[in-house]
Amino acid sequence: MNQNRLHIASRKGLFTYTRDAAGWRHSGTAFLGSPVALSLASADGRTVFAALNLGHFGTKLHRSDDGGTTWTELEPPKYPKVEGADEKEKAPALAGIWSMAWTGTPGGLWCGTAPGALFRSDDNGATWQINDALWDHPARKACARRSCPRICSSIR
Amino acid sequence: MPLGISIPARMARVTFTAHLARIAPTEPVIAPGATVADVLRDVFARYPALRGYILDDQDRLRLHIAVFVDGVHVRRDPLGYPLNAESDLYVMQALSGGQDA
């Protein structure tokens, strides 16, 4: 863990603070004006993820490989495609990213999303696969009906 | 042998909200297509990063995106909306609120 750098995700951007002998100082701003739901930094501080929740344009995922100086937009996790007009109408689409964590293997990440699903990447966030065991679990549908609207609204 | 008449291809003029200037064309673009979906597909081929900002995981128009065709806000099945020979399309953020909303 880099004890001397702090990334603060806020509704108006991602703000980075760095600590030196004089104390904490503001050292960077990214996505100014955009709601940043969360950020996740690697132990060495070089890799940083930022999940954005843009009101009109959806949930976006960005990665920095230089500690937050420059950013590249990634394809965010995608829900399984549903065919058929009626089914498609209520089919799930990414509504928010509310948790990210390292799996502990190189380039490995977990991503918790709304509506309730868990995705995994093994290539540093370039591609994502849904966790089928949880997605297909019979309890998920009942759970989603009860609690998902609340979770979705709390992360927006 | 050509008959001497040509059926004009339907070409739309598409303008995107200035809020997408980072990833969308900043000037109106001309794109062929018989429906809004056709025209957008052509634009996305040229601006791939734009797609996820306008459509969701199921290729539906995002809930808070509004499409105007020839001055009319198309609320019902906007992607399937048929276009004229020279339709004018605007892709904007949908806004709500106020007394008349």
Side-chain angles (χ1 to χ4, degrees), chain B:
Chain B
M1 184 182 148
L3 295 173
I5 47 165
S6 63
I7 298 164
R10 285 190 265 192
M11 298 296 264
R13 197 178 74 125
V14 196
T15 310
F16 290 90
T17 165
H19 283 260
L20 291 173
R22 198 175 51 79
I23 51 161
T26 50
E27 297 290 324
V29 288
I30 305 294
T35 62
V36 169
D38 287 349
V39 164
L40 289 179
R41 197 174 301 125
D42 185 83
V43 178
F44 295 154
R46 287 180 267 166
Y47 298 86
L50 184 56
R51 185 191 179 89
Y53 283 71
I54 307 297
L55 304 182
D56 72 9
D57 301 18
Q58 306 290 343
D59 291 335
R60 297 169 298 207
L61 190 72
R62 287 193 174 279
L63 192 61
H64 301 302
I65 296 287
V67 172
F68 290 81
V69 179
D70 300 321
V72 176
H73 180 191
V74 183
R75 292 165 188 272
R76 201 181 162 85
D77 187 20
L79 293 178
Y81 195 79
L83 301 176
N84 298 319
E86 292 182 326
S87 280
D88 220 356
L89 252 79
Y90 282 83
V91 181
M92 326 273 293
Q93 305 96 310
L95 299 177
S96 60
Q99 274 191 326
D100 299 326

Side-chain angles (χ1 to χ4, degrees), chain A residues 22-139:
Chain A
W24 290 99
R25 61 182 175 82
H26 173 237
S27 58
T29 302
F31 313 110
L32 188 62
S34 294
V36 183
L38 63 89
S39 75
L40 177 73
S42 59
D44 64 11
R46 270 206 290 274
T47 306
V48 190
F49 286 88
L52 276 61
N53 230 335
L54 306 181
H56 297 92
F57 307 116
T59 295
K60 308 296 168 202
L61 186 61
H62 296 256
R63 190 185 70 219
S64 172
D65 296 316
D66 54 15
T69 306
T70 61
W71 294 85
T72 306
E73 184 166 0
L74 309 170
E75 276 285 328
K78 223 172 183 173
Y79 284 73
K81 203 75 172 271
V82 175
E83 301 299 338
D86 284 358
E87 287 302 302
K88 194 174 162 178
E89 190 125 330
K90 46 185 192 281
L94 183 63
I97 291 175
W98 56 279
S99 181
M100 285 184 74
W102 304 99
T103 62
T105 53
L109 290 144
W110 296 112
C111 183
T113 58
L118 181 67
F119 288 82
R120 184 189 172 120
S121 172
D122 288 304
D123 53 13
N124 225 4
T127 60
W128 295 92
Q129 294 79 39
I130 197 165
N131 181 292
D132 287 323
L134 282 174
W135 185 246
D136 296 333
H137 196 285

